[in-house]
Amino acid sequence: MTRQKIINIAVIAHVDAGKSTLVDAFLKQSGVFRENQEMVEQVMDSNDQERERGITIYSKNLSIQYNDIKINIVDTPGHADFSSEVERIMKTVDTVILLVDSSEGPMPQTRFVLHKALELGLRPILFINKIDKKDQRALEVVDEVLELFIELGANDEQLEFPTLFGVAKNGIAQFNMDTPSENLNPLFETIVTQVGTYPIKLAEQPLLMQVSTLAYDSFIGRLGIGRIYEGVVKEGQTVAISRSNGTVKNARISKLMVYQGLKRVAVSEAYAGDIITFAGIEDIVIGDTISDPNNIRAMDTIHIEEPTMSMNFLVNTSPFAGKVGKFVTSRNIKERLERELEVNVGLKVEPLENSSVEGFKVLGRGELHLSVLIETMRREGFELGISKPEVVMHNDAQGNLLEPMEKLIVNVPVEYSGTVINKLNQRKGLMLDMDSDGVRDKVTYNIPLRSLLGFRSEFTNDTHGEGIMVRSANGFEPYKGEIESRLNGVMVSMANGKTLAYALGNLEERGILFVAPQTEVYEGMIVGQHSRDNDLDVNPTTGKKLTNTRSSGTDDSVKLTPFKKMTLEQALEYIQWDELVEVTPIDIRLRKKWLTQNERKQHRSDKK
């Protein structure tokens, strides 16, 4: 294998800024696809949930060829909940392309990903995307990004960042707003000029690389992915593995692959600067350092931000348990979570203590981070009972209780902003900034993370679906005190059986239904939201009494309002301390922790 000139870059941005679209354009213009080959949009978002949700969840690698230079590109998630995916790959790249929307400007997650890049001494390239928007303000946005660089403590070299403008969707990049372009060549030229290729002489040093990502292949087992910082790796080579706990062991690399376009291609050796995938080390984990056995070295472990939210993953104990799921025992759940810990570095798992139900406390970076895991397990055939999400509190050196805060930006039509601001104030939010163009208001808040549990669906209703809400972690602050949670009680089934339209028609007057006619229910299952603040025990299986006498008029058929079908995220946001979400491969149900009326009365005094 001839030694190539190599540059490694990552594309970072806030969610929806156009990262995956830019990667599509890179692939198209570098000739990875044949002219007659149909190209799928967001080709890197290959996971089912990524396609369904329209977001990037996992960072992924590919490579393109520009003249005689191989450019390895890492597409990263933009959502704050998957920031651990961003953090660990930053060390594998030479520079980052920071995408910013030409009208939105820097958003909360932009700050987070940029901060990580600057901390590692990278010199970012700014790409102002979507300059074809009618409301674009590209030059203002450049100034805002410069202010952000200064706020984050960028050094003089980093402040001299090159700026390009373009439309990723059309595969266009230009040096300034007045010089049109037909392709991405200005961006390619800037990457080469800004970074330079990886020093070839480092290939002559003893081997040094670090594992940043893991993958799995059903034929060859666990795969490690990482960048070679120094030296050469060869197929069949014996290497030393240095662990974070200080232990060292020798192992043999059985298979070696590099990226060519979207594919992994087997090679006999790879050189310093390249990102490789290797097999043969079954117990490899993220952060392990691989070096020459005759020159053992250990790199700093990859630091990941602490989890901010937890949920309990419990064994499903409902009367319907085991009817559709393949994996229902605590042993199944434990094994699956242990597998997830190997690749999902932002996750932590603890055994539940003093619990009447078997299960595990799972800690992650947010609701979306954890709900993606739950949805993945559900599709694999698991059944689970999930508790109300709780924020992870901390204590400072003086023993004061601290809670995680979020920077929240809401963009809403003017007529709805009063309602939204009022609700955020009630939830202990502190307004930092407000801007209006007469049509929409953009409001920035510093607000406790727990205040936002259950707020998204309320926000959607209050703004009639026209509001935009984005958020990112904003450190820890002293505990803000009690915050009002859900104001409504629920309607709880007191019977087992199938729901009937006649019974549901009567219950409609009491609130909002969560079930349709002919739905199997059990005692303790939540069938609707009560219009008042107390829980109501109801019988949704009651039929109409039949008599021998015919009424003088014809009975009208029951016409029901469409029931409210909750997604997994909505269900997790909705439940209270004494409720669970029952997750199965087919259904998502809401239920009480204690199914019978007597049990609930006994535990009412336990309310937090």
Side-chain angles (χ1 to χ4, degrees), residues 24-214:
D24 286 350
F26 274 138
L27 288 165
K28 198 171 184 180
Q29 291 188 28
S30 63
V32 170
F33 297 100
R34 300 186 309 274
E35 282 187 22
N36 64 343
Q37 186 174 350
E38 186 179 343
M39 183 174 166
V40 181
E41 286 189 3
Q42 281 85 46
V43 68
M44 293 298 285
D45 291 342
S46 52
N47 179 275
D48 287 345
Q49 288 196 64
E50 289 180 318
R51 290 233 163 258
E52 290 166 21
R53 295 170 186 263
I55 59 172
T56 303
I57 295 173
Y58 306 104
S59 59
K60 303 176 201 69
N61 303 67
L62 71 146
S63 79
I64 58 172
Q65 199 73 25
Y66 177 68
N67 297 332
D68 62 340
I69 300 171
K70 177 185 180 182
I71 302 178
N72 286 315
I73 302 173
V74 186
D75 182 23
T76 64
H79 200 286
D81 284 23
F82 306 110
S83 53
S84 59
E85 291 282 325
V86 181
E87 289 173 82
R88 63 186 172 169
I89 59 88
M90 286 288 190
K91 289 176 77 173
T92 69
V93 298
D94 303 303
T95 191
V96 293
I97 299 172
L98 176 67
L99 252 72
V100 181
D101 188 290
S102 66
S103 65
E104 288 180 350
M107 300 295 275
Q109 183 68 355
T110 314
R111 183 186 190 91
F112 177 85
V113 292
L114 178 59
H115 182 52
K116 291 295 169 191
L118 295 176
E119 270 186 336
L120 290 170
L122 299 176
R123 294 171 59 209
I125 297 167
L126 176 61
F127 185 90
I128 304 295
N129 193 20
K130 305 182 186 180
I131 59 170
D132 56 340
K133 278 185 169 183
K134 287 181 182 177
D135 60 345
Q136 68 86 10
R137 49 185 192 91
L139 298 178
E140 282 180 51
V141 168
V142 174
D143 291 337
E144 289 175 8
V145 174
L146 177 59
E147 287 175 20
L148 185 58
F149 269 72
I150 295 167
E151 269 183 58
L152 295 174
N155 60 38
D156 292 344
E157 218 178 20
Q158 290 170 329
L159 286 171
E160 294 295 322
F161 56 85
T163 302
L164 292 103
F165 305 85
V167 185
K169 184 174 63 176
N170 300 335
I172 293 169
Q174 52 198 60
F175 289 113
N176 55 59
M177 291 293 287
D178 303 320
T179 312
S181 168
E182 295 179 353
N183 51 40
L184 289 174
N185 283 350
L187 181 55
F188 284 125
E189 289 169 27
T190 304
I191 291 168
V192 175
T193 308
Q194 170 82 344
V195 185
T197 56
Y198 200 79
I200 291 176
K201 63 181 181 182
L202 288 175
E204 297 165 10
Q205 301 296 318
L207 172 63
L208 180 67
M209 73 166 285
Q210 189 169 38
V211 178
S212 58
T213 314
L214 296 178

Side-chain angles (χ1 to χ4, degrees), residues 188-246:
F188 284 125
E189 289 169 27
T190 304
I191 291 168
V192 175
T193 308
Q194 170 82 344
V195 185
T197 56
Y198 200 79
I200 291 176
K201 63 181 181 182
L202 288 175
E204 297 165 10
Q205 301 296 318
L207 172 63
L208 180 67
M209 73 166 285
Q210 189 169 38
V211 178
S212 58
T213 314
L214 296 178
Y216 186 81
D217 185 285
S218 53
F219 294 103
I220 54 179
R222 190 187 297 191
L223 305 172
I225 302 169
R227 178 191 196 160
I228 308 171
Y229 293 97
E230 295 176 14
V232 179
V233 179
K234 298 181 180 180
E235 191 174 19
Q237 181 177 345
T238 299
V239 295
I241 314 292
S242 302
R243 296 269 149 83
S244 58
N245 61 6

Side-chain angles (χ1 to χ4, degrees), residues 359-373:
F360 304 89
K361 183 177 184 178
V362 182
L363 301 94
R365 297 280 294 164
E367 287 167 284
L368 188 58
H369 183 204
L370 293 172
S371 69
V372 165
L373 171 58

